[in-house]
Amino acid sequence: MEMNLATSPSKLAESLLWDAVDRGARVVHFQPSGAGHRLSYRTDRGLDEVVELGKGALETLDEQWRKSSTRVRSDDHRHLFLERQSEEKTERVQVRYQSLQTLLGRRLTLRLLREESTSLTIDDIASGDDAERLHRLCDESHGLVLLAGRGGSGKTTTAYVCLSELAQRGDRVVFSIEEMAGYYLSGVNQIELDTGDEAAYREAFSAIYESDPDVL
């Protein structure tokens, strides 16, 4: 993409992120290099370098992202939400912003989470008695479901498929409390916090429960 900071920094800051989305990027990296920064997109193919930014370019872009984002835990961890409308659909993306000081200079990492209703269903990820059990658990009005297993065994996929199915029914208000959301789920009220912070977790849980317990 062409970088023209002199025209409209706010529009450029947003269009850069949409350019990354359109190219299938999951993460945008600004790596300090000499007097400037290297802009790279991380896609399924790996890390693709896009352009070398001159001195001051990152500061101009960063100022726009900070203005339009919300602080999370610290000024160096922020959330930004993007939305654009086309004739076919409305696209929404959550941008997870992280700033980190290195020996060569400040580094930015922008993680892109698209809003999506997962195309998977319970019957896609389980069969027989397992699928029947998951359907039954999703119909329960209360209780606890514990998902355990090694890394890559499908815990997150299973949880998100069940949350999505609950949200799509339209008769429940669905919340999640997560250390770090793996996906930005349509219809699910996702809350990110430090799950090791007992006071923050208790406060979030109490606020959720007080909202309307009959439809949670």
Side-chain angles (χ1 to χ4, degrees):
M1 67 175 296
E2 294 184 4
M3 307 293 289
N4 190 347
L5 294 172
T7 54
S8 176
S10 61
K11 288 184 178 179
L12 178 60
E14 182 172 340
S15 64
L16 186 151
L17 296 175
W18 282 119
D19 179 68
V21 171
D22 292 338
R23 294 199 197 188
R26 298 180 181 180
V27 187
V28 177
H29 293 278
F30 289 89
Q31 174 73 31
S33 173
H37 287 78
R38 288 198 309 271
L39 167 62
S40 301
Y41 296 162
R42 202 260 288 171
T43 68
D44 290 337
R45 300 181 302 275
L47 198 61
D48 297 333
E49 186 169 335
V50 178
V51 71
E52 186 88 18
L53 299 177
K55 185 177 181 180
L58 178 61
E59 284 69 18
T60 303
L61 291 166
D62 190 33
E63 181 182 2
Q64 302 304 317
W65 290 325
R66 284 181 175 266
K67 283 180 180 178
S68 56
S69 63
T70 303
R71 182 180 183 273
V72 180
R73 301 183 194 171
S74 73
D75 282 336
D76 291 333
H77 293 80
R78 311 181 71 86
H79 280 175
L80 167 67
F81 294 90
L82 300 177
E83 180 175 305
R84 67 178 175 182
Q85 185 75 43
S86 66
E87 293 183 0
E88 297 81 16
K89 61 180 179 178
T90 299
E91 283 187 272
R92 298 182 181 89
V93 175
Q94 179 195 150
V95 183
R96 187 177 294 149
Y97 167 108
Q98 180 195 64
S99 176
L100 185 65
Q101 189 65 36
T102 72
L103 290 176
L104 292 177
R106 196 155 61 90
R107 189 186 199 287
L108 282 190
T109 303
L110 304 173
R111 188 175 298 274
L112 308 173
L113 300 178
R114 299 191 190 204
E115 182 183 49
E116 58 185 335
S117 297
T118 177
S119 59
L120 293 176
T121 67
I122 288 175
D123 293 320
D124 291 324
I125 65 171
S127 60
D129 291 342
D130 291 334
E132 183 181 343
R133 186 177 298 108
L134 284 176
H135 281 296
R136 177 172 52 80
L137 290 172
C138 285
D139 288 333
E140 295 289 348
S141 60
H142 62 278
L144 173 68
V145 178
L146 177 64
L147 300 175
R150 59 178 176 79
S153 61
K155 300 184 296 297
T156 300
T157 299
T158 301
Y160 277 24
V161 165
C162 292
L163 286 172
S164 288
E165 290 217 354
L166 286 172
Q168 299 315 308
R169 293 178 186 179
D171 59 349
R172 301 279 182 91
V173 178
V174 183
F175 285 87
S176 71
I177 299 177
E178 307 174 57
E179 182 84 31
M180 182 178 292
Y183 299 96
Y184 182 26
L185 294 175
S186 177
V188 179
N189 301 280
Q190 293 169 275
I191 299 173
E192 289 185 327
L193 53 78
D194 181 0
T195 53
D197 186 339
E198 185 177 343
Y201 183 87
R202 188 165 55 243
E203 181 180 352
F205 188 86
S206 296
I208 292 170
Y209 187 74
E210 289 169 5
S211 63
D212 190 354
D214 291 337
V215 292
L216 291 178

